Amino acid sequence: MMTRRKWLLFTLLVVGVSQGVTADLEEINDSPEGETSFHSPNTEEEEVPTGARMVVEQTHFPREEVSQDSEGGGEGSSEEPSLLDVTGTEDLPTEPVDAEEKQKALQRVVGGTADGEPCFFPYLFLGKEFTVCTTEGRGDGRLWCSTTYDYDRDKKWGFCETEDQAKQRRQAQEAEDLYQTAIKIINGTSKTSQKKEGYSILMKAAEMGHTKAMEKVAYAMLFGDYMTQNTHQARELFEKLLIEGSPKAQTGLGFLHAVGLGVNSSQAKALVYYTFGALGGNLIAHMILGYRYWGGIGVPQSCESALTHYRLVANHVASDISLTGGSVVQRIRLLDEVENPGVASGMLEEDLIQYYQFLAEKGDVQAQVGLGQLHLHGGRGVEQNHERAFEYFNQAANAGNTHAMAFLGKMYSEGSDSLPQNNETAMQYFKKAADLGNPVGQSGLGMAYLYGRGVPVNYDMALKYFQKAAEQGWVDGQLQLGTMYYNGIGVKRDYKQALKYFNLASQAGHILAFYNLAQMHATGTGVMRSCHTAVELFKNVCERGHWSERMMTAYSHYKEGEADLAVVQYLLLAEQGYEVAQSNVAFILDQAGEAKLFSENETFPRALLHWNRAAAQGYTVARIKLGDYHFYGYGTDVDYETAVIHYRLASEQQHNAQAMFNLGYMHEKGLGIKQDIHLAKRFYDMAAEASPDAQVPVFLALCKLGLVYSLQYLQEMNAQELMSQIDLDQLLGPEWDLYLMTIIALLLGTVIAYRQRQHQGVPRPAAPQRPQGEQREPEQ
């Protein structure tokens, strides 16, 4: 068993290796080629790219498609040229020998009529040539080959495999067939019952040792996706997959050790597993390491290391962005829903969606366009559905709506499973919309001229239409203008103009605008180089990856009362650096008895950890929660001084009324800070100015403060002696007590009236408004 000291040395060694790789990555990112491989070229998938150039509608990489799964990111390697390929020698043949052909030539048969002799490729069997071992002519499915060219004449043959090897091959093929069947079912339906059936088939493939099936089943058990949640079995599967070097399994085990789920929490082990997962090309692991280096969590804080990891993931995310922009990421804070029930969460209620559908069926054009956009991008509780989007846009376009025409053009230009790509039809819709002054259509025409889609390439026309769209504030026009100025396409290269238009597009939330700005800040192109700014921008891009869909899955689980399923999914997102996920994890753990995964004495310390990480990313409520935890001793010792520090940070940096009120109270009581009634009053007054909601509690606190101050003053002046010298009947009249009661009643009536007015002034939820047809495209 490895001693603690040996494990520490091993961890330091791995961290040193990872930092060395990080340095190599940084050099690669600065080089023109920007390609490398981090693991064996014999692996199944291809490398995650490390280099990219400025994007227009998507990023272009010197790579093939990267295989991705929703639960664990993508991993793989591309084969680098060997040293012999680069240098060469005079003794070697000019034509390299194919490895597969060499293997065939050396393959020797087992049994048959030519035991031990090598296979001869190609060979002739029943008048047909074969270049590989075959099962034809046999009923048992075993592979065989001929050891001479003409089997029909010589009858010289043997098996290409032993009986055990044949059995293993048949079992592997059966597992692969089960895996493909399961994936087809899972991806081809939205019904829960059918997805569960697909995962049950996937489980059979996993039991037969199919690697990809084991990976999917492990994550399904971890998250409770269409299977019963079982973190213990998930861990066992991850450990089995480690033998095969699965980066997804390494990342999964890193996550379990990081959060202490089913194992003792160990940040050192988590770092080791995350590092190997990242070296295997796993994007989730890269994102987690990027966040850890950025925040200094378990590693020395390093902006450059964070930049390297985040840039690699951002390259991949940006390359997947389409012309239609992809799906919308919904980020719902559970705490905000509880504390502000009247504030819309961004989700559309089912009855409201049905109301819009009713209006659309009745011919309401604005409703048709709004529903079309909802189904095109997804989000707000509506699943992405291009077929439904096309139907709604088509109805609105037939009624003459220019926005619908333009979006039909975008859909035809992009193409999808339900709508074949067609540049000519896209051009027709874009031109109709652009001629009527629609900025979406103008931007679409600009794209057509820029790339020669259905028309000859014409940079002048592209620039003209992009400028028209940008003048109307359309985000795509601004983005494309920035790209043209950055690359000097059709115009003189101008980084200042590019920066201007990228900034405008980023204000509307365009993901590619963030990506391009990040590249400029990372390389110091057109701006002063800023690693911190580049990391924040790349982090924003990374958080738009497809893994963000788990945010809504976790929210749905929580709403259905499945807090444990929600917590695990939020925990992984929190590890990736999603601040909303961190605050949601802390909120669920803060609610006594909701999450059963952890014991009662663990919930508050874990909640404190995630409030701390959320506060570090600028979430004000999390900062106040940290103050509360130290004030009351939740998950930590009572520490008034630390509570004051957190309240002061929230007060000074975010001008939070709650923090100011708390500071006033602590000054009043002298808790963790010198008692000072004057400073207490000052903070109470500041709280009332910062928020109208604080005015009533501040009024009551000031009344109490005044009473306390008066009592202290009287005590200092020897109140008994003073009262004996004062004749209230002579000073205020014989009925002074009635006057005092009247004044108190008036004060009480004022407070009651003010509170009633406050309740009447609370805005009711706004009546449902029809979707605006001419509104901007949802955030991309």
PDB file of all heavy atoms in Angstrom, residues 619-631:
ATOM      1  N   TYR A 619     -20.756  37.000  -6.843  1.00  0.00           N
ATOM      2  CA  TYR A 619     -22.170  36.886  -6.491  1.00  0.00           C
ATOM      3  C   TYR A 619     -22.375  37.486  -5.102  1.00  0.00           C
ATOM      4  O   TYR A 619     -21.900  36.965  -4.105  1.00  0.00           O
ATOM      5  CB  TYR A 619     -22.603  35.423  -6.525  1.00  0.00           C
ATOM      6  CG  TYR A 619     -24.076  35.203  -6.276  1.00  0.00           C
ATOM      7  CD1 TYR A 619     -25.034  36.092  -6.747  1.00  0.00           C
ATOM      8  CD2 TYR A 619     -24.511  34.085  -5.559  1.00  0.00           C
ATOM      9  CE1 TYR A 619     -26.382  35.880  -6.516  1.00  0.00           C
ATOM     10  CE2 TYR A 619     -25.856  33.861  -5.330  1.00  0.00           C
ATOM     11  CZ  TYR A 619     -26.789  34.759  -5.812  1.00  0.00           C
ATOM     12  OH  TYR A 619     -28.132  34.562  -5.584  1.00  0.00           O
ATOM     13  N   THR A 620     -23.104  38.604  -5.031  1.00  0.00           N
ATOM     14  CA  THR A 620     -23.254  39.369  -3.792  1.00  0.00           C
ATOM     15  C   THR A 620     -23.933  38.573  -2.696  1.00  0.00           C
ATOM     16  O   THR A 620     -23.500  38.592  -1.535  1.00  0.00           O
ATOM     17  CB  THR A 620     -24.076  40.645  -4.065  1.00  0.00           C
ATOM     18  OG1 THR A 620     -23.538  41.310  -5.197  1.00  0.00           O
ATOM     19  CG2 THR A 620     -24.049  41.570  -2.885  1.00  0.00           C
ATOM     20  N   VAL A 621     -25.023  37.883  -3.043  1.00  0.00           N
ATOM     21  CA  VAL A 621     -25.766  37.129  -2.032  1.00  0.00           C
ATOM     22  C   VAL A 621     -24.881  36.069  -1.397  1.00  0.00           C
ATOM     23  O   VAL A 621     -24.980  35.806  -0.193  1.00  0.00           O
ATOM     24  CB  VAL A 621     -27.027  36.497  -2.657  1.00  0.00           C
ATOM     25  CG1 VAL A 621     -27.765  35.657  -1.624  1.00  0.00           C
ATOM     26  CG2 VAL A 621     -27.948  37.575  -3.211  1.00  0.00           C
ATOM     27  N   ALA A 622     -24.003  35.461  -2.195  1.00  0.00           N
ATOM     28  CA  ALA A 622     -23.087  34.457  -1.650  1.00  0.00           C
ATOM     29  C   ALA A 622     -22.136  35.099  -0.645  1.00  0.00           C
ATOM     30  O   ALA A 622     -21.820  34.493   0.394  1.00  0.00           O
ATOM     31  CB  ALA A 622     -22.298  33.793  -2.777  1.00  0.00           C
ATOM     32  N   ARG A 623     -21.695  36.319  -0.917  1.00  0.00           N
ATOM     33  CA  ARG A 623     -20.814  37.028   0.024  1.00  0.00           C
ATOM     34  C   ARG A 623     -21.528  37.277   1.353  1.00  0.00           C
ATOM     35  O   ARG A 623     -20.955  37.106   2.427  1.00  0.00           O
ATOM     36  CB  ARG A 623     -20.360  38.344  -0.604  1.00  0.00           C
ATOM     37  CG  ARG A 623     -19.406  39.155   0.246  1.00  0.00           C
ATOM     38  CD  ARG A 623     -18.072  38.480   0.417  1.00  0.00           C
ATOM     39  NE  ARG A 623     -17.349  38.360  -0.827  1.00  0.00           N
ATOM     40  CZ  ARG A 623     -16.212  37.683  -0.954  1.00  0.00           C
ATOM     41  NH1 ARG A 623     -15.702  37.058   0.096  1.00  0.00           N
ATOM     42  NH2 ARG A 623     -15.595  37.612  -2.114  1.00  0.00           N
ATOM     43  N   ILE A 624     -22.798  37.666   1.296  1.00  0.00           N
ATOM     44  CA  ILE A 624     -23.570  37.888   2.525  1.00  0.00           C
ATOM     45  C   ILE A 624     -23.779  36.573   3.262  1.00  0.00           C
ATOM     46  O   ILE A 624     -23.720  36.518   4.493  1.00  0.00           O
ATOM     47  CB  ILE A 624     -24.922  38.552   2.183  1.00  0.00           C
ATOM     48  CG1 ILE A 624     -24.665  39.942   1.609  1.00  0.00           C
ATOM     49  CG2 ILE A 624     -25.807  38.651   3.409  1.00  0.00           C
ATOM     50  CD1 ILE A 624     -25.886  40.605   1.047  1.00  0.00           C
ATOM     51  N   LYS A 625     -24.023  35.496   2.489  1.00  0.00           N
ATOM     52  CA  LYS A 625     -24.187  34.173   3.110  1.00  0.00           C
ATOM     53  C   LYS A 625     -22.920  33.767   3.866  1.00  0.00           C
ATOM     54  O   LYS A 625     -22.993  33.160   4.945  1.00  0.00           O
ATOM     55  CB  LYS A 625     -24.519  33.134   2.044  1.00  0.00           C
ATOM     56  CG  LYS A 625     -25.955  33.180   1.554  1.00  0.00           C
ATOM     57  CD  LYS A 625     -26.901  32.590   2.572  1.00  0.00           C
ATOM     58  CE  LYS A 625     -28.304  32.466   2.039  1.00  0.00           C
ATOM     59  NZ  LYS A 625     -29.237  31.922   3.058  1.00  0.00           N
ATOM     60  N   LEU A 626     -21.772  34.096   3.312  1.00  0.00           N
ATOM     61  CA  LEU A 626     -20.522  33.790   4.010  1.00  0.00           C
ATOM     62  C   LEU A 626     -20.469  34.525   5.346  1.00  0.00           C
ATOM     63  O   LEU A 626     -20.052  33.967   6.366  1.00  0.00           O
ATOM     64  CB  LEU A 626     -19.326  34.188   3.146  1.00  0.00           C
ATOM     65  CG  LEU A 626     -18.993  33.282   1.962  1.00  0.00           C
ATOM     66  CD1 LEU A 626     -17.848  33.870   1.150  1.00  0.00           C
ATOM     67  CD2 LEU A 626     -18.634  31.884   2.432  1.00  0.00           C
ATOM     68  N   GLY A 627     -20.880  35.800   5.331  1.00  0.00           N
ATOM     69  CA  GLY A 627     -20.935  36.550   6.580  1.00  0.00           C
ATOM     70  C   GLY A 627     -21.892  35.916   7.575  1.00  0.00           C
ATOM     71  O   GLY A 627     -21.577  35.790   8.774  1.00  0.00           O
ATOM     72  N   ASP A 628     -23.064  35.481   7.091  1.00  0.00           N
ATOM     73  CA  ASP A 628     -24.053  34.841   7.970  1.00  0.00           C
ATOM     74  C   ASP A 628     -23.503  33.550   8.575  1.00  0.00           C
ATOM     75  O   ASP A 628     -23.718  33.268   9.767  1.00  0.00           O
ATOM     76  CB  ASP A 628     -25.333  34.528   7.188  1.00  0.00           C
ATOM     77  CG  ASP A 628     -26.062  35.787   6.750  1.00  0.00           C
ATOM     78  OD1 ASP A 628     -25.756  36.872   7.291  1.00  0.00           O
ATOM     79  OD2 ASP A 628     -26.930  35.686   5.854  1.00  0.00           O
ATOM     80  N   TYR A 629     -22.803  32.746   7.731  1.00  0.00           N
ATOM     81  CA  TYR A 629     -22.281  31.461   8.218  1.00  0.00           C
ATOM     82  C   TYR A 629     -21.267  31.688   9.338  1.00  0.00           C
ATOM     83  O   TYR A 629     -21.242  30.951  10.327  1.00  0.00           O
ATOM     84  CB  TYR A 629     -21.643  30.675   7.072  1.00  0.00           C
ATOM     85  CG  TYR A 629     -22.621  29.788   6.329  1.00  0.00           C
ATOM     86  CD1 TYR A 629     -23.833  30.293   5.873  1.00  0.00           C
ATOM     87  CD2 TYR A 629     -22.352  28.447   6.095  1.00  0.00           C
ATOM     88  CE1 TYR A 629     -24.740  29.485   5.194  1.00  0.00           C
ATOM     89  CE2 TYR A 629     -23.247  27.631   5.421  1.00  0.00           C
ATOM     90  CZ  TYR A 629     -24.447  28.160   4.969  1.00  0.00           C
ATOM     91  OH  TYR A 629     -25.345  27.361   4.316  1.00  0.00           O
ATOM     92  N   HIS A 630     -20.411  32.711   9.192  1.00  0.00           N
ATOM     93  CA  HIS A 630     -19.423  32.987  10.231  1.00  0.00           C
ATOM     94  C   HIS A 630     -20.071  33.672  11.432  1.00  0.00           C
ATOM     95  O   HIS A 630     -19.598  33.513  12.567  1.00  0.00           O
ATOM     96  CB  HIS A 630     -18.289  33.856   9.668  1.00  0.00           C
ATOM     97  CG  HIS A 630     -17.345  33.115   8.775  1.00  0.00           C
ATOM     98  ND1 HIS A 630     -17.491  33.060   7.409  1.00  0.00           N
ATOM     99  CD2 HIS A 630     -16.249  32.365   9.060  1.00  0.00           C
ATOM    100  CE1 HIS A 630     -16.523  32.320   6.884  1.00  0.00           C
ATOM    101  NE2 HIS A 630     -15.756  31.889   7.866  1.00  0.00           N
ATOM    102  N   PHE A 631     -21.139  34.415  11.226  1.00  0.00           N
ATOM    103  CA  PHE A 631     -21.829  35.085  12.337  1.00  0.00           C
ATOM    104  C   PHE A 631     -22.529  34.071  13.234  1.00  0.00           C
ATOM    105  O   PHE A 631     -22.450  34.143  14.456  1.00  0.00           O
ATOM    106  CB  PHE A 631     -22.842  36.089  11.777  1.00  0.00           C
ATOM    107  CG  PHE A 631     -23.519  36.920  12.823  1.00  0.00           C
ATOM    108  CD1 PHE A 631     -22.986  38.139  13.224  1.00  0.00           C
ATOM    109  CD2 PHE A 631     -24.693  36.494  13.429  1.00  0.00           C
ATOM    110  CE1 PHE A 631     -23.610  38.908  14.194  1.00  0.00           C
ATOM    111  CE2 PHE A 631     -25.321  37.248  14.400  1.00  0.00           C
ATOM    112  CZ  PHE A 631     -24.776  38.465  14.789  1.00  0.00           C
TER     113      PHE A 631
END
